[in-house]
Amino acid sequence: MAIKKVVTIAGSDSSGGAGLQADLKTFQELGVYGMTGITCIVTMDPKGWHHNVFPIETGILEKQLDTILSVGIDGLKTGMLGTVEIIELVARKIDEHQLKKVVIDPVMVCKGEDEVLNPETTDAMRELLLPRAYVVTPNLFEAGQLAGMKTPKTIEEMQEAAVKIHDQGAQFVLIKGGSKLQTEEKSIDLLYDGEEFQIYESEKIETNYTHGAGCTNSAAVAAEIAKGNSVYDAVDVAKRFVSAGIQQGFPLNEYVGPTWHGAYRSQKSVTEYCVDCEE
């Protein structure tokens, strides 16, 4: 079976837990070859762990993407894009190369922050990325922003947001609710395909060691789709992969604890990762 190639267009997390570092670890664990287009470098203040974001020049990103896309890819996911110009570039490259297996993770904030990094990019995501998305994977906050409503707090509100996002062009909408729905006893993610809703749930894990969980989830979806699996199976694998990683999360320092990307492998053999893979 040929190794599938997947690119992540995302920010570099210097702490290694999120961003393209989380994506590459996930790709490796799920048996695909990862490549990167770096949009920015994120550092953290050692005293307080506040985030600093250093954008990469758009022209340099384009050179990265030209390098990657010249070899051909089987899937693409985005993370932190940061500027309207970068979003425009990504949309153009998707069209130029007729990319279909596109997973858009609409990163708007760094974990631990509560303000959108660049508010003007939300409109650009709606206009340029949602119509090109095979799957879009917002968390609750991002879903509210894309849907133009308050942050969902119930499954019914997640469904409302999913319909509004789907109406903007995404083929599949996966809202990552996780353990943030206070009214639920489970960790809940919701998938909408334009006709039906599907709930993916796991046990809630009481922990603060969730750094990179969102990036990891969308990366797992992208990896499984690139291998030829259905979106439904990809989301199922991603849910189990992230749940295992959170279960074995650990403290990096006094401020943050990442998920452990090797946890799922310790539970499953590599050959069990693939469901109906293409040869």
Side-chain angles (χ1 to χ4, degrees):
M1 183 181 69
I3 300 296
K4 302 300 183 180
K5 302 184 291 291
V6 186
V7 59
T8 173
I9 307 174
S12 172
D13 173 15
S14 298
S15 75
L20 64 86
Q21 284 85 347
D23 295 343
L24 288 178
K25 292 170 186 176
T26 303
F27 293 163
Q28 187 80 10
E29 290 293 325
L30 292 177
V32 300
Y33 181 78
M35 296 176 283
T36 61
I38 305 174
T39 62
C40 62
I41 296 172
V42 180
T43 66
M44 296 78 177
D45 181 355
K47 298 179 179 179
W49 215 245
H50 301 297
H51 294 82
N52 304 293
V53 180
F54 301 94
I56 300 296
E57 182 182 335
T58 305
I60 295 175
L61 174 60
E62 183 167 13
K63 293 296 185 183
Q64 296 177 70
L65 297 182
D66 288 343
T67 299
I68 295 162
L69 295 172
S70 70
V71 305
I73 63 171
D74 301 291
L76 176 151
K77 71 145 290 193
T78 67
M80 184 184 294
L81 299 182
T83 68
V84 172
E85 291 75 21
I86 287 178
I87 291 173
E88 292 173 342
L89 171 63
V90 171
R92 176 159 54 84
K93 292 300 181 182
I94 290 172
D95 290 348
E96 285 179 2
H97 293 268
Q98 299 181 327
L99 303 177
K100 303 301 181 185
K101 294 182 177 180
V102 175
V103 176
I104 301 296
D105 188 13
V107 177
M108 297 179 185
V109 299
C110 296
K111 190 176 289 293
E113 307 291 338
D114 57 6
E115 293 184 4
V116 176
L117 288 171
N118 294 292
E120 67 275 8
T121 63
T122 301
D123 290 336
M125 286 181 185
R126 291 194 194 100
E127 179 182 351
L128 297 174
L129 295 185
L130 291 186
R132 292 169 170 83
Y134 186 42
V135 187
V136 61
T137 64
N139 60 25
L140 293 174
F141 174 79
E142 293 157 352
Q145 293 292 307
L146 291 176
M149 56 185 282
K150 66 181 181 180
T151 299
K153 295 183 179 179
T154 65
I155 291 178
E156 291 73 23
E157 290 176 350
M158 290 173 72
Q159 293 174 334
E160 179 185 355
V163 170
K164 291 182 177 180
I165 296 169
H166 184 272
D167 287 345
Q168 296 175 64
Q171 295 183 53
F172 289 86
V173 180
L174 172 63
I175 299 182
K176 301 174 291 191
S179 60
K180 300 298 184 182
L181 296 178
Q182 299 301 320
T183 59
E184 300 297 325
E185 296 181 355
K186 301 282 188 177
S187 171
I188 301 291
D189 294 342
L190 179 141
L191 180 67
Y192 180 58
D193 61 8
E195 295 183 0
E196 297 182 347
F197 300 101
Q198 186 160 334
I199 297 292
Y200 296 80
E201 63 180 37
S202 61
E203 296 297 324
K204 274 190 177 181
I205 302 169
E206 297 299 328
T207 179
N208 292 322
Y209 307 145
T210 60
H211 183 56
C215 303
T216 298
N217 186 298
S218 59
V221 171
E224 292 299 304
I225 290 173
K227 293 183 329 192
N229 296 324
S230 71
V231 173
Y232 310 98
D233 288 336
V235 173
D236 179 63
V237 170
K239 183 67 171 174
R240 290 186 282 117
F241 188 93
V242 172
S243 295
I246 293 175
Q247 184 70 54
Q248 294 190 29
F250 62 96
L252 193 63
N253 60 15
E254 62 181 301
Y255 302 109
V256 67
T259 60
W260 175 242
H261 293 86
Y264 188 56
R265 175 165 45 89
S266 69
Q267 298 177 358
K268 298 279 188 178
S269 70
V270 174
T271 57
E272 290 179 293
Y273 287 169
C274 187
V275 181
D276 297 327
C277 292
E278 296 177 344
E279 296 296 321

